[in-house]
Amino acid sequence: VNPRSSLGPMAKIVDLPPVSKSTANRPAQNRCLLAAAACDALIIVNRCFDATHVPNHSLDLKPVADLEIIEAELVAFDLELVSQRVKEGAQLLQEAVPGGSPVPAEMQGQLQALMKAKGVLEQGRMVRYSKDWTAQEAAYLNRHQLVTAKPAVYLVNVSASQYTTGKNKHLPRIYEWVDQRSAGAVLPYCSE
């Protein structure tokens, strides 16, 4: 078969600023996370080698702690979004009931799915970690483009020598952290 043209797989990478526990740059982080919400998946980059020439937000290299900070920021972002949408949905339901008109089942289902997602987020968990979503709930939640519901790939940046040998002291803990959460794929690489 000789097609006239072909189009290979495409990816658009949106580079977000590093997240930190500091609330000083939260507005900038939230703007970037809104951009991430429109993406189909997350690529989370984690540096796992000591280098004085590469800036790091903390003095010590703690890759698993960095992943936990990233996860907490994503959860906080979605919790704020979902809480607002639950509040808006509850108000819409209250307005619909006094007039005697029946509340559409879709509106009720969407609100219930959002409330369930809010419960997961309030536990500090990513929405994608919960495995008990029905197909209908997943469809409702997909409309809201929650960043914690998106699949993720964890790119682990190791030194050139560590990449060549396949040995890095942080990798086993990162694999364990990701496996415990069924969080996604871990791909070591080197861009030192």
Side-chain angles (χ1 to χ4, degrees):
V1 176
N2 294 319
R4 290 184 190 176
S5 66
S6 66
L7 180 63
M10 296 177 59
K12 179 180 179 184
I13 306 295
V14 179
D15 189 12
L16 304 179
V19 296
S20 66
K21 289 183 181 178
S22 165
T23 57
N25 67 344
R26 185 157 317 242
Q29 288 176 354
N30 282 350
R31 282 192 302 277
C32 290
L33 289 172
L34 277 172
C39 297
D40 294 326
L42 302 176
I43 299 173
I44 298 172
V45 178
N46 193 349
R47 181 169 65 90
C48 292
F49 64 92
D50 291 311
T52 56
H53 65 283
V54 180
N56 191 17
H57 66 89
S58 69
L59 298 176
D60 297 325
L61 185 64
K62 299 177 183 169
V64 172
D66 291 344
L67 290 174
E68 289 170 347
I69 291 169
I70 291 167
E71 185 172 285
E73 286 296 319
L74 296 174
V75 166
F77 176 79
D78 271 358
L79 181 58
E80 185 178 324
L81 178 81
V82 168
S83 295
Q84 181 62 35
R85 294 195 178 153
V86 164
K87 182 179 174 183
E88 292 167 357
Q91 288 173 343
L92 285 172
L93 283 177
Q94 282 181 342
E95 291 170 7
V97 172
S101 60
V103 176
E106 183 171 327
M107 184 185 288
Q108 285 180 329
Q110 192 155 166
L111 183 59
Q112 288 172 348
L114 284 169
M115 290 170 60
K116 186 174 175 180
K118 183 179 178 197
V120 170
L121 293 164
E122 286 173 338
Q123 294 172 16
R125 297 175 51 226
M126 305 276 273
V127 168
R128 74 172 179 269
Y129 296 169
S130 182
K131 303 296 183 201
D132 64 337
W133 301 108
T134 66
Q136 189 60 57
E137 288 170 332
Y140 288 143
L141 292 177
N142 284 341
R143 296 178 188 172
H144 297 279
Q145 297 187 320
L146 303 178
V147 291
T148 59
K150 298 186 181 302
V153 173
Y154 295 84
L155 295 182
V156 181
N157 190 2
V158 298
S159 71
S161 64
Q162 293 167 348
Y163 184 77
T164 304
T165 62
K167 295 182 181 177
N168 175 287
K169 66 182 180 182
H170 302 289
L171 273 176
R173 287 186 299 235
I174 292 171
Y175 279 116
E176 179 183 347
W177 187 88
V178 171
D179 285 345
Q180 286 173 347
R181 289 160 177 75
S182 299
V186 177
L187 300 173
Y189 77 104
C190 177
S191 72
E192 182 179 26

